[in-house]
Amino acid sequence: MHATRTPEGGGRREENAMADTVDAKRLVFPGLAGIYDRLSPFAYDFMRFSTGAVLVPHGFQKVFLGTLGATAGGLAKEGFPAPLAWAYLVAFVEFFAAACLAVGLFTRLAAALIWIEMTVIITVFLWPNGYFWTNRGYEYALLWWLLCLAIFFRGGGRYSLDRLLGKEV
């Protein structure tokens, strides 16, 4: 790897020594190289969008479908003080921060908020159930945790509102 200037002339970044295109000779199905080349520039942004978009319905039900009380009840059961206030924060993160993550607006802040929420969900609510989500385990929340950690370090990406605005948090 070697350091280069970013296209915008900003700070330095590490550039991978790998080629920008897929080597068709290395593929089991060489005919797919063109598809991979055409779609790979969208891969990160698709992952970022999906990570946020899949969480939005969880927040939507809390904000618009009246499940905020149940969320507060679950928080109270675990000993959280002011559970309704925490439930509103959870709803904000799951709806608004997740929507921001999906469109790449305030991406790092949104990823950090979701990462913090997933840390609490994993350690307080799901850890006793083990790993597998089919037993109410932390598997699914851990996936969000890992994705948000990666997104936090990478930022909005090529197709994000952060990039369109020219600023990131």
Side-chain angles (χ1 to χ4, degrees):
M1 287 205 255
H2 62 281
T4 60
R5 286 259 173 223
T6 60
E8 294 81 23
R12 301 184 71 76
R13 66 177 167 89
E14 293 296 317
E15 188 174 350
N16 200 340
M18 294 173 44
D20 290 341
T21 60
V22 175
D23 181 1
K25 291 180 242 166
R26 296 181 46 104
L27 296 176
V28 173
F29 302 108
L32 295 175
I35 293 170
Y36 295 158
D37 279 338
R38 280 191 293 282
L39 297 180
S40 66
F42 304 102
Y44 173 77
D45 295 287
F46 179 71
M47 182 202 64
R48 187 208 66 241
F49 172 81
S50 300
T51 302
V54 170
L55 187 55
V56 168
H58 292 267
F60 182 88
Q61 70 178 357
K62 290 172 182 69
V63 173
F64 298 107
L65 301 180
T67 65
L68 206 56
T71 302
L75 291 163
K77 183 178 172 189
E78 292 297 328
F80 280 79
L84 187 58
W86 283 110
Y88 275 104
L89 180 60
V90 166
F92 174 83
V93 169
E94 291 180 3
F95 186 72
F96 295 105
C100 283
L101 189 68
V103 298
L105 180 64
F106 311 121
T107 306
R108 287 190 168 97
L109 177 60
L113 290 171
I114 296 167
W115 184 86
I116 291 167
E117 180 181 337
M118 292 303 143
T119 301
V120 173
I121 289 171
I122 290 167
T123 58
V124 174
F125 295 95
L126 302 177
W127 194 264
N129 302 322
Y131 177 75
F132 296 102
W133 72 270
T134 52
N135 194 39
R136 295 188 46 83
Y138 57 86
E139 178 180 16
Y140 194 46
L142 178 61
L143 179 59
W144 258 321
W145 188 90
L146 292 166
L147 287 167
C148 285
L149 183 62
I151 293 166
F152 175 80
F153 289 118
R154 176 74 199 286
R158 181 180 298 172
Y159 303 104
S160 67
L161 290 179
D162 286 342
R163 183 168 176 131
L164 183 67
L165 297 172
K167 295 286 183 188
E168 290 190 49
V169 177

